[in-house]
Amino acid sequence: MSENVVHLHKSIEPTTEAAVTPLTVVPESAPGKSVPLWVRSGRAVRTAVTHETTKSTARAVARHGLYTVNGGRIVARRAWDGKTGARYERMLRAAEAAGSFEVAEEWEDRLQRFREARHRRRMDLLHSPVDAAKGVGVGAGMGVGVLVALGVVMAINNHDIGDVITPLAAVIDFIGLLIRIVQVVWGPALTIGPFLALLALWTVGSKQQAAPQWALPDNVRNGEGEPITPSIVVKALRDLGVPALRNAIKEMGDAGAGMLGPIRIAGCGVEVDVTLPSGVSTIEVQNRRRKLAENLTRHEHEVFITIPQAARTVRLWVADSGALDEPIGPSPLTTDDTLTADYAKGRAPWGQDLRGDAAALSLYQRHLLVTGLSNQGKTVALRSLALWLSLDKSVQFLMGDLKGVGDWAMFNGLATTLIQGPTDEHVIQVTEMVEGAVDEMNRRIQAPPGTVFPPLIVLVDEAQVAFMCPAKGEDKRPYGGSKANSRYFMAVRKIHNQGRAVNVLMWQGTQDPTNENLPKLVREGAHTRASLALGTESQARMALGDKAVDGGAAPNLLRPGLDRGTLVVASDGIAIPAGQSSITVRTHYIDDDAAEAITDRAKAMRDGITTLTVIERGEERDPLADVFSVLGDRPRVLTQDILKRLAMLNEDAYGKWSFVDLKRVLDGTGAEPYKSDGRMVVGRERVARALANRPDEVSASAGE
């Protein structure tokens, strides 16, 4: 025997060929060695038992058997409910548990009427045998009499006295035939009848899916295509792990559906209001969202729990399986070339809510904050609002993109200022841009009452870069931070405090919010707050506020990457169902090419805008040349617009200019302001001629 073979058993002096074969263990390093038969048989048995076909067959056998058994239970329960007042008693207990005492009284009255009717039927049964016997006797006598009379008529007609009993004999023969038929059918019926009864019970059980979850088919077990019914919702709530809720439902019996309002189709899912029994808090249901979703055979992101107006009520929205993974349609901005915007009365087509209805946002006099984790669609969501608003030619934009990868490049020639880049120098320029908007806001506030100002949107994307900037100015004031001397922070706060009244609005996009990169006063100053997927509930509270999160808003439960472009919005500018504090919106995706086409349409609506990409400061200016530069391509520009553009070009040099200063520069050059349609304007051609005709030494000294 080889040393590689370990003898675990050896028969003593085997005398026949049928002696016990030694049990051996053959190492893998010994090729060609045979494995004992019983080992191979065990492996084969294990493979057969664990094979998917075997498990599917076992589940099918168990499923169909349980369909029959539980179908019998369902039929018995229905029969019992039909014969007794059990149904009324369950509904009565359900109404009492829900605190609906008026409904409980109504069910009690129905139960009393049912019992009275049942008592009358039972009393009628006491007299029915005698009445039935009398009826049978009278009927039989009358029948025999009729048959004999018919026989007499036949006998008279046929002149044969034997025809008197012919009708009676025919009836007797027919009865005998029926008896013979019953005798023939009775045996097979006794054999087939139980099988038909079992088939009927199986049909009832299969329709109700009356089998454990593990025994159901794969498509049902995985929740694919399974409709949401009252019984499914009640079972999901019963198994939620809330003792008070479970006990209340047990007392209600199957009438736990009394807690439920009507199940309504809502977009790509269904919606139902659940009135919780006394002793159960709505927060207990909200905190078990994942378990509730699993009980409903859904993923967590496919179930949304909100709090409506009614007390002690939760509103469940349950998506069809996989529906939220399907894309929504294109934006109307890309499909309708004639679409225009109206800042004051219109609403931006942002996307769809979970019910499949269009989600449109009013931007009128509302500061905006959009936040979320990186690469979740924040810039595209914010940009789509700006694209819509650009189709209102009265709207002006000041833009700062502190990412600087070209996401906002299509607004060059549309925005008055467009700064793109992530460095401290770009933060400084964006800060000065926002401070310039503050000066414009103050100028508007000081205007005569009733003056109407065009909307000015101050948009900063990746604003967290500005808040975290360590740079300081010559006066030692930091550009970043959230202190009283922080320049960007204070400029944003000033616009939040007073800008809305004069149509100067602050829009910001940030990512991964914290108290450091999104200060509390700034985020609470936004009228419209929207959040994409976030990491924690604390971040959700920063993004949307405590009220929205307490009311069911949960951007932290959105799936990063999979729910890209899905926003939870808290705003009075969007239609939110009554009683809710937020709404979930799946935004339209507008790519760069489509965005550029939209901005081309917006530019065509305007006379031409010269976009400033760098804010110059601290240098000698040439006022006449600067006036010419801000005129752009338009033949004439209002003097008020020239003053605003000069202030944006260089706040230090032109921020405090008035019409008198502008007139002083233009006087004697041949480009003096003049009236056109009753308003003071400056002509581009005149300014160009003045620049061309002035002495060379003046031009040279101004350029130094």
Side-chain angles (χ1 to χ4, degrees), residues 288-628:
R288 291 169 171 81
R289 177 186 175 189
R290 175 176 293 181
K291 189 170 185 179
L292 178 62
E294 293 172 349
N295 291 348
L296 293 169
T297 63
R298 296 294 191 272
H299 296 291
E300 183 178 10
H301 72 277
E302 294 176 327
V303 175
F304 288 81
I305 305 173
T306 54
I307 309 300
Q309 284 182 322
R312 213 172 66 237
T313 302
V314 293
R315 178 168 293 161
L316 308 181
W317 185 86
V318 185
D320 299 335
S321 293
L324 294 183
D325 297 327
E326 299 293 330
I328 65 174
S331 170
L333 294 174
T334 62
T335 58
D336 186 358
D337 293 338
T338 63
L339 185 67
T340 59
D342 186 338
Y343 161 75
K345 299 179 181 179
R347 290 178 178 264
W350 211 6
Q352 294 180 359
D353 62 17
L354 296 179
R355 296 165 181 80
D357 299 328
L361 179 67
S362 173
L363 303 173
Y364 178 66
Q365 294 189 343
R366 289 179 175 87
H367 302 304
L368 176 66
L369 173 65
V370 179
T371 187
L373 297 178
S374 177
N375 196 31
Q376 298 305 308
K378 167 181 55 62
T379 297
V380 173
L382 184 61
R383 189 176 67 184
S384 66
L385 297 178
L387 288 171
W388 176 80
L389 200 55
S390 70
L391 297 176
D392 183 341
K393 63 180 181 180
S394 68
V395 178
Q396 302 169 2
F397 292 98
L398 302 178
M399 291 186 168
D401 175 16
L402 293 177
K403 184 189 295 181
V405 295
D407 290 334
W408 298 88
M410 66 286 301
F411 281 86
N412 193 353
L414 186 59
T416 306
T417 301
L418 176 59
I419 298 170
Q420 303 179 87
T423 66
D424 290 349
E425 179 63 25
H426 292 102
V427 172
I428 293 172
Q429 294 185 21
V430 167
T431 302
E432 294 177 350
M433 177 190 77
V434 179
E435 290 175 338
V438 173
D439 293 335
E440 169 63 15
M441 175 190 72
N442 292 332
R443 186 190 68 80
R444 293 183 177 190
I445 292 174
Q446 296 170 6
T451 305
V452 179
F453 299 101
L456 175 61
I457 306 300
V458 185
L459 189 153
V460 179
D461 195 13
E462 306 297 341
Q464 76 280 354
V465 177
F467 286 114
M468 300 299 291
C469 178
K472 294 183 178 181
E474 295 180 356
D475 56 357
K476 303 302 181 182
R477 291 180 59 197
Y479 287 92
S482 57
K483 296 182 179 179
N485 63 343
S486 300
R487 293 181 59 176
Y488 179 80
F489 170 74
M490 291 305 300
V492 172
R493 288 290 300 136
K494 289 176 182 178
I495 294 177
H496 278 174
N497 290 337
Q498 296 179 297
R500 181 190 65 82
V502 290
N503 285 332
V504 177
L505 303 177
M506 191 74 208
W507 290 11
Q508 295 183 97
T510 70
Q511 63 174 260
D512 203 9
T514 65
N515 285 322
E516 289 72 27
N517 65 25
L518 187 59
K520 185 174 188 289
L521 292 177
V522 170
R523 60 183 185 250
E524 291 185 351
H527 302 99
T528 296
R529 300 166 71 172
S531 176
L532 296 114
L534 289 173
T536 64
E537 182 180 325
S538 63
Q539 286 185 315
R541 293 183 180 275
M542 292 181 192
L544 300 176
D546 292 335
K547 180 180 179 181
V549 174
D550 292 339
N556 53 301
L557 297 181
L558 295 174
R559 302 167 299 167
L562 297 177
D563 290 326
R564 185 179 288 112
T566 299
L567 288 161
V568 181
V569 183
S571 172
D572 62 350
I574 192 170
I576 297 178
Q580 295 182 202
S581 56
S582 65
I583 188 172
T584 301
V585 176
R586 303 172 68 197
T587 58
H588 296 295
Y589 176 73
I590 302 177
D591 60 25
D592 292 347
D593 293 338
E596 192 166 344
I598 296 170
T599 54
D600 288 343
R601 287 162 45 199
K603 294 172 186 176
M605 298 169 62
R606 293 164 168 82
D607 293 332
I609 295 176
T610 300
T611 298
L612 303 180
T613 57
V614 175
I615 298 178
E616 301 176 357
R617 57 191 186 280
E619 61 184 60
E620 190 69 25
R621 308 298 307 183
D622 180 354
L624 188 60
D626 286 343
V627 169
F628 180 75

Side-chain angles (χ1 to χ4, degrees), residues 92-285:
L92 176 60
R93 290 196 301 270
E96 290 176 344
S100 302
F101 297 107
E102 294 181 358
V103 178
E105 291 179 1
E106 181 181 350
W107 281 110
E108 187 175 9
D109 292 340
R110 292 183 181 182
L111 176 60
Q112 186 62 30
R113 291 195 297 270
F114 169 80
R115 287 173 175 171
E116 291 175 356
R118 183 179 61 184
H119 177 71
R120 287 195 299 270
R121 289 194 301 271
R122 288 177 176 177
M123 295 302 296
D124 292 341
L125 289 175
L126 296 177
H127 305 285
S128 59
V130 177
D131 295 339
K134 291 180 180 179
V136 170
V138 173
M142 292 180 61
V144 171
V146 170
L147 293 174
V148 171
L150 180 60
V152 171
V153 173
M154 292 177 61
I156 295 173
N157 183 62
N158 297 331
H159 305 287
D160 185 357
I161 192 62
D163 287 342
V164 173
I165 61 172
T166 298
L168 187 60
V171 172
I172 295 174
D173 292 340
F174 178 72
I175 294 174
L177 177 62
L178 292 179
I179 293 174
R180 285 193 294 273
I181 292 174
V182 170
Q183 289 175 342
V184 172
V185 175
W186 185 254
L190 289 178
T191 303
I192 299 175
F195 293 101
L196 295 177
L198 291 175
L199 178 61
L201 297 179
W202 177 89
T203 302
V204 173
S206 63
K207 288 183 178 180
Q208 297 292 327
Q209 297 291 329
Q213 193 72 13
W214 58 266
L216 295 176
D218 290 340
N219 63 326
V220 177
R221 192 168 63 252
N222 295 334
E224 297 177 0
E226 182 180 5
I228 298 298
T229 62
S231 61
I232 289 176
V233 176
V234 170
K235 290 177 182 177
L237 294 170
R238 182 193 63 194
D239 300 336
L240 201 54
V242 181
L245 181 59
R246 181 178 63 251
N247 294 335
I249 292 176
K250 284 184 178 180
E251 292 179 2
M252 299 176 196
D254 288 347
M259 299 187 303
L260 310 182
I263 296 179
R264 304 176 295 271
I265 296 177
C268 57
V270 296
E271 185 178 74
V272 59
D273 286 352
V274 181
T275 302
L276 300 175
S278 178
V280 181
S281 171
T282 55
I283 193 66
E284 294 181 278
V285 178

